[in-house]
Amino acid sequence: MDEVIISKAITESYLKDLLDSMEVDVAIAGAGPSGMVAGYYLAKSKVKVAIFERKLSIGGGMWGGGIMFNRIVVQSEAKEVLDELGISAKQYQKGYYVADAVEAASTLCSRCIKAGSKIFNLLSVEDVMIREDDRITGLVLNWSAVALANLHIDPMAIRAKLAIDATGHDAEVCRIVARKTGAGLEVRGEKSMWAEVGENEIVANTKQVCPGLLVTGMAANAVFGSPRMGAIFGGMLLSGKKAAELAIDLLKKTKR
Ligand code: 48H
């Protein structure tokens, strides 16, 4: 065993992927359920996609399910996404399915990567790149450890034809765009829990919010001031799928 060979293998393999992901079709901020579902459907359609996740673990709020009981509930409308991904679920009552949160998060991650997405953890999106017409042209990233250690280190840039904010409740990328650019984006903030309305509105809220930036998942409800929904995940899955479909359409239009 040679420790240096081991270190070189890791470094060369990682840097090859990171360099390749510095110019992508779609860059996604956040590897929670909505970001990974978007990544899965994009990669399945041969779109070049990279996902950047701040934490060590991917899966966002899915691992813990609801109430720290590692089960998720998904409504009938989203069951097709679980089926597509091969995540098993049992009907609890008419219209409600229960799945194992650990199986759901790990299977989603595996399917997302095997479809062709690159997932980079330990990297935080701290800014965007912006050009003429307030178009977002990429994400600005830094190692999460840099922020944790409060170090003054300059970031790296990823060019993307489209970016997706999948950062959850805080809608971090949209907040940056609202604060730092003239794109006219306003983040209204999510409202108190109302599962029915939150789940219904999340798909409608999944859209392009300024040129080059889409929003998905909990971040979409935060941007448009819709309610949170508690421990139900169907909306996240359907929102991620819609974000991928919208991105594919937008990419086709930019090619013409
Ligand atoms: C890189 C970042 C950054 C950043 C955050 O919170 P998530 O699970 O988000 P969604 O929208 O896919 O799913 C929401 C769901 O988990 C949830 O919270 C529900 C259903 N709540 C209902 C309720 O009523 O409370 O994942 C977001 C991911 C996380 O892994 C973050 O670490 C990551 O994004 N992230 N990654 N750069 N700036 N900010």
Side-chain angles (χ1 to χ4, degrees), residues 48-216:
K48 187 176 178 189
V49 53
I51 307 179
F52 302 98
E53 166 56 48
R54 163 180 290 159
K55 292 194 178 152
L56 180 57
S57 64
I58 55 74
M62 208 182 211
W63 286 112
I67 335 168
M68 275 170 95
F69 299 165
N70 60 8
R71 299 289 182 275
I72 58 164
V73 170
V74 167
Q75 62 276 48
S76 313
E77 293 82 353
K79 171 76 165 45
E80 46 141 345
V81 182
L82 292 182
D83 293 342
E84 160 80 22
L85 293 163
I87 297 166
S88 37
K90 279 195 185 132
Q91 189 166 29
Y92 177 69
Q93 268 185 26
K94 193 169 181 294
Y96 295 84
Y97 292 84
V98 185
D100 182 305
V102 175
E103 182 193 341
S106 56
T107 306
L108 177 51
C109 176
S110 167
R111 294 296 305 276
C112 182
I113 292 172
K114 286 193 190 300
S117 289
K118 297 287 178 206
I119 301 182
F120 299 90
N121 56 353
L122 300 170
L123 275 167
S124 294
V125 178
E126 65 166 45
D127 203 351
V128 296
M129 291 197 290
I130 189 151
R131 293 293 181 275
E132 294 79 19
D133 306 327
D134 292 323
R135 170 163 283 277
I136 307 304
T137 58
L139 297 178
V140 175
L141 312 172
N142 218 328
W143 302 105
S144 304
V146 167
L148 281 172
N150 205 14
L151 301 177
H152 185 160
I153 305 283
D154 282 328
M156 70 176 101
I158 302 293
R159 194 178 350 265
K161 291 176 189 148
L162 292 171
I164 301 180
D165 183 348
T167 60
H169 292 267
D170 293 333
E172 288 200 18
V173 181
C174 290
R175 282 188 198 279
I176 292 165
V177 170
R179 195 176 71 244
K180 291 177 101 173
T181 76
L185 176 59
E186 185 201 347
V187 179
R188 293 186 203 155
E190 74 180 34
K191 297 290 181 291
S192 290
M193 193 184 288
W194 187 354
E196 179 89 27
V197 176
E199 285 291 274
N200 286 341
E201 292 188 357
I202 197 168
V203 176
N205 291 338
T206 303
K207 53 177 102 158
Q208 182 171 224
V209 287
C210 69
L213 177 66
L214 290 87
V215 67
T216 185

